[in-house]
Amino acid sequence: MTGPQRAPRPTLDLNAVRTHLHEARSARVPVALWVAVADLPMLIAEVERLRSLLALARAQYAGLLAAARAAVAAERDGEDDPLLYLRDELDEHGQLPDEDLHAAELLALVDLWDGGR
C-alpha cells in the first residue's frame, strides 16, 4: 500500500503577499503598489492550481462513493464478491492495503497520516 496522497504545498508565500498589500495600503507610494500588483499573477496561478486539485478530489470522491454504493448493493443482491467494486477503485489509485495488514493496523496508519498535516 502506498502512503497517503497529499496536495502539493502552495507555490507562493501568502505572508509575503499580505505584507506587500499592507505596505501598499499604508505607504501609498507607487513602488509599494507595484510590488503588491506583481503578486496577482502568482495568486491567479495558485487559485487555478487549487481549482484543479479540488476537481480531482471531487472526481476521486465520486468514484469511491460509487464503488461503496455498488458494494452495498452487491452485498444486498447476494453477489459472491461484493467488495470487488471497492477493491478495484482502491487498486486504481494505488491504495489497496497490503494483505498482511489488519483493520486496526490500517486505522492506526490513518491516524498517523492525519497527524502529519
Side-chain angles (χ1 to χ4, degrees), residues 4-6 19 27 29 33 36 42 48 53 55 63-65 79 85 94 104 109:
Q5 295 176 348
R6 295 181 191 242
T19 300
V29 295
L33 178 61
M42 292 183 302
E48 289 174 353
L53 289 172
L64 185 57
L65 184 59
E79 288 189 25
Y85 305 101
L109 288 174

Side-chain angles (χ1 to χ4, degrees), residues 2 6 15 19 21 29 32 35 37 41 44 46 52 54 70-72 78 80 89-90 102 105 111:
T2 61
R6 295 181 191 242
N15 287 330
T19 300
L21 180 60
V29 295
V35 169
V37 168
I44 291 168
E46 182 67 4
S52 296
L54 178 59
V72 169
D80 291 336
E89 185 69 17
L90 291 172
H102 299 284
E105 294 169 317
D111 289 342

Side-chain angles (χ1 to χ4, degrees), residues 11-51:
T11 57
L12 70 140
D13 181 356
L14 289 177
N15 287 330
V17 171
R18 283 187 196 98
T19 300
H20 296 161
L21 180 60
H22 175 71
E23 288 173 358
R25 285 179 172 168
S26 61
R28 297 192 185 270
V29 295
V31 172
L33 178 61
W34 283 112
V35 169
V37 168
D39 289 335
L40 286 174
M42 292 183 302
L43 287 168
I44 291 168
E46 182 67 4
V47 168
E48 289 174 353
R49 184 184 75 85
L50 292 172
R51 281 176 136 180

Side-chain angles (χ1 to χ4, degrees), residues 1-3 94-103 105-106 109 113:
M1 179 174 82
T2 61
Q95 295 296 315
L96 197 59
D98 294 332
E99 291 186 20
D100 60 336
L101 288 177
H102 299 284
E105 294 169 317
L106 287 169
L109 288 174
W113 290 336

Side-chain angles (χ1 to χ4, degrees), residues 77-98:
D77 293 344
E79 288 189 25
D80 291 336
D81 189 10
L83 293 180
L84 172 71
Y85 305 101
L86 280 173
R87 275 196 300 276
D88 284 349
E89 185 69 17
L90 291 172
D91 190 36
E92 184 178 324
H93 296 285
Q95 295 296 315
L96 197 59
D98 294 332

